[in-house]
Amino acid sequence: MVADGLEDLRMKYTKMIYQNYEDGKAPYIENLPKDLRPLECLISKNHDGKGLIVGSKISYADYALLDILLTHLVLAPDCLKDFPLLHAYVERLSARPNLKAFLESAARKARPINGNGKQ
């Protein structure tokens, strides 16, 4: 269910980026807290916000959440300022050795986030 919810958020983001970037970016960012709040609430219920999004083992939902949050941090660098558990989650997952190596790799840094170059 979490992964499906994240896909809904990704679809909203994709629609804005590819179909309504110029007029839609500001309202999208303004409404983003409404979409992030349930994720902050959900993560707070797993090991007092110090765990993963669900369960005790990293899952597809964790990778999907990290990816969408990293993408949104490019779009709106302050988007997690009111969501300390999500911010800590990004920091925690990004520090995992294999993820850290990937995130810091030249290949990853050279890859555009969106095919149309908008961020």
Side-chain angles (χ1 to χ4, degrees):
M1 283 187 349
V2 172
D4 286 345
L6 293 170
E7 190 59 26
D8 291 343
L9 179 56
R10 185 178 305 283
M11 293 306 296
K12 284 167 103 174
Y13 170 83
T14 301
K15 184 175 180 180
M16 181 275 300
I17 285 289
Y18 289 101
Q19 296 176 0
N20 192 26
Y21 183 78
E22 285 74 22
D23 294 332
K25 181 180 177 183
Y28 181 89
I29 291 171
E30 184 177 320
N31 290 319
L32 189 56
K34 178 182 71 156
D35 293 318
L36 296 177
R37 196 165 291 111
L39 297 169
E40 178 89 353
C41 182
L42 183 60
I43 203 164
S44 74
K45 295 177 182 181
N46 194 10
H47 300 298
D48 295 322
K50 296 179 177 93
L52 302 167
I53 193 67
V54 291
S56 59
K57 293 182 181 178
I58 197 162
S59 68
Y60 171 78
D62 289 296
Y63 294 114
L65 177 56
L66 179 62
D67 181 60
I68 198 75
L69 291 175
L70 289 173
T71 298
H72 279 83
L73 284 167
V74 172
L75 178 74
D78 292 333
C79 70
L80 298 182
K81 69 177 167 76
D82 295 328
F83 302 100
L85 298 178
L86 288 176
H87 177 75
Y89 175 88
V90 168
E91 296 295 317
R92 191 169 53 254
L93 261 64
S94 296
R96 292 173 66 100
N98 290 341
L99 277 172
K100 183 177 180 179
F102 169 72
L103 293 171
E104 293 176 354
S105 71
R108 195 262 182 180
K109 290 178 182 179
R111 186 180 336 171
I113 293 174
N114 302 300
N116 65 358
K118 295 183 177 167
Q119 301 183 40

